[in-house]
Amino acid sequence: MKVYQIRMKIFLLEDIAINKIQEKITAFIDSGFKTDEEWLNFHEQNSFKNYCYDQLYPVEKDRVYKKGKIYTLTIRTIDLELAKYFKLVCVDNHIKEIKGLVAEIRVLPKKMLERVYTLTPMIIKTEKGYWKEAISFAEFEQRLKVNLIKKWNAYYQEKIDEDFDLYTVIELKNKKPIAMEYKSIKLLGDKVQIQVADNKRAQDLWYFALGVGLGEMNARGCGFLNYRWL
């Protein structure tokens, strides 16, 4: 398994407020898929997409990304063909607000992970919406684990034993839910920090999570992880 990290330079054709940036990046990426029938089928099928992305860097202090400036978009995936798509196809794409310029790919080294933490809000949806209004923290933890294992099983076409420690500590970093705009609604998520368990299964799964994201809606900019090696 390899996690591919794509650093893409993009040029803004309009100002974009920070609360709109994930929505615009998503539109930029999605519009590229529509240029090829195979990638369009991938985009439209109901399946795990196995990529995730961060907000733009550098972040503007006044919370508005500026027209005429170049920013870096970081995308990760476990799929080499997707990585090649982002590097070769997506950079030639543009929407009203964003134009791709250049991109480079590197493989994230696989080392012993000490902890991971979200840079974009992680989403766990329930029938009633935001999880705190519907389920306990223990159920939240279980859904987080089950979601990650489902992604692994779907990608590797196997069913792993779920009886293992995925982490030793999980900490919510926000006191109030973090709102993220998507299709004219606000999704509520959380930022978490997690101490990774010291066993091979947990280490493999968290390295995998660096490429696919944590929780739900990763192809919409949710659950992008940063990390610290031991």
Side-chain angles (χ1 to χ4, degrees):
M1 173 183 34
K2 292 180 180 178
V3 172
Y4 302 96
Q5 180 166 283
I6 303 93
R7 286 271 170 84
M8 185 185 300
K9 297 294 184 183
I10 65 173
F11 180 79
L12 291 201
L13 303 167
E14 292 187 4
D15 288 350
I16 305 176
I18 196 168
N19 65 318
K20 296 285 188 182
I21 196 65
Q22 301 296 95
E23 181 181 333
K24 298 302 181 184
I25 295 170
T26 298
F28 169 70
I29 291 172
D30 288 355
S31 67
F33 288 135
K34 296 171 185 177
T35 62
D36 179 273
E37 186 175 353
E38 184 178 342
W39 284 117
L40 179 61
N41 290 336
F42 163 80
H43 171 62
E44 291 182 341
Q45 66 188 350
N46 183 21
S47 62
F48 295 120
K49 301 306 181 190
N50 296 322
Y51 71 89
C52 55
Y53 60 84
D54 196 4
Q55 290 192 340
L56 300 186
Y57 181 84
V59 178
E60 298 287 358
K61 292 181 180 179
D62 64 358
R63 300 177 64 80
V64 177
Y65 291 99
K66 303 296 188 295
K67 175 182 178 180
K69 286 188 67 173
I70 295 173
Y71 296 90
T72 299
L73 171 63
T74 301
I75 309 170
R76 295 207 203 105
T77 180
I78 52 170
D79 187 323
L80 178 57
E81 293 308 307
L82 258 177
K84 291 177 180 177
Y85 160 79
F86 289 125
K87 183 179 187 298
L88 300 173
V89 179
C90 201
V91 291
D92 287 332
N93 189 42
H94 72 275
I95 58 172
K96 187 176 72 164
E97 302 88 354
I98 298 173
K99 176 177 174 55
L101 298 177
V102 295
E104 60 179 19
I105 302 174
R106 65 180 285 253
V107 176
L108 285 188
K110 193 172 188 294
K111 302 179 183 178
M112 184 70 78
L113 286 161
E114 177 187 4
R115 66 175 179 263
V116 296
Y117 50 97
T118 50
L119 294 180
T120 61
M122 185 196 75
I123 305 290
I124 294 290
K125 291 187 288 187
T126 75
E127 295 73 15
K128 296 182 179 179
Y130 182 53
W131 70 270
K132 279 189 178 180
E133 299 166 358
I135 60 176
S136 67
F137 188 70
E139 289 175 284
F140 169 81
E141 291 182 274
Q142 180 63 17
R143 289 192 184 204
L144 180 155
K145 181 178 181 179
V146 167
N147 176 270
L148 184 54
I149 290 173
K150 280 183 177 179
K151 291 173 187 169
W152 176 283
N153 288 345
Y155 186 73
Y156 287 105
Q157 296 293 298
E158 63 178 350
K159 184 171 176 57
I160 62 173
D161 182 1
E162 298 182 14
D163 186 19
F164 67 95
D165 290 329
L166 185 60
Y167 51 82
T168 57
V169 179
I170 181 170
E171 179 184 0
L172 290 176
K173 301 303 288 183
N174 49 288
K175 293 182 179 179
K176 297 189 297 183
I178 301 168
M180 184 174 153
E181 295 191 19
Y182 174 68
K183 289 187 176 179
S184 302
I185 63 171
K186 287 188 177 180
L187 298 171
L188 299 179
D190 300 275
K191 290 195 174 180
V192 297
Q193 179 170 289
I194 292 168
Q195 297 295 125
V196 178
D198 184 10
N199 64 74
K200 185 178 187 307
R201 180 63 77 190
Q203 289 287 328
D204 285 347
L205 273 162
W206 284 115
Y207 179 71
F208 176 79
L210 297 180
V212 302
L214 185 62
E216 302 172 47
M217 302 191 70
N218 309 121
R220 296 294 173 262
C222 302
F224 184 87
L225 291 166
N226 207 350
Y227 55 89
R228 178 163 293 183
W229 309 124
L230 273 172

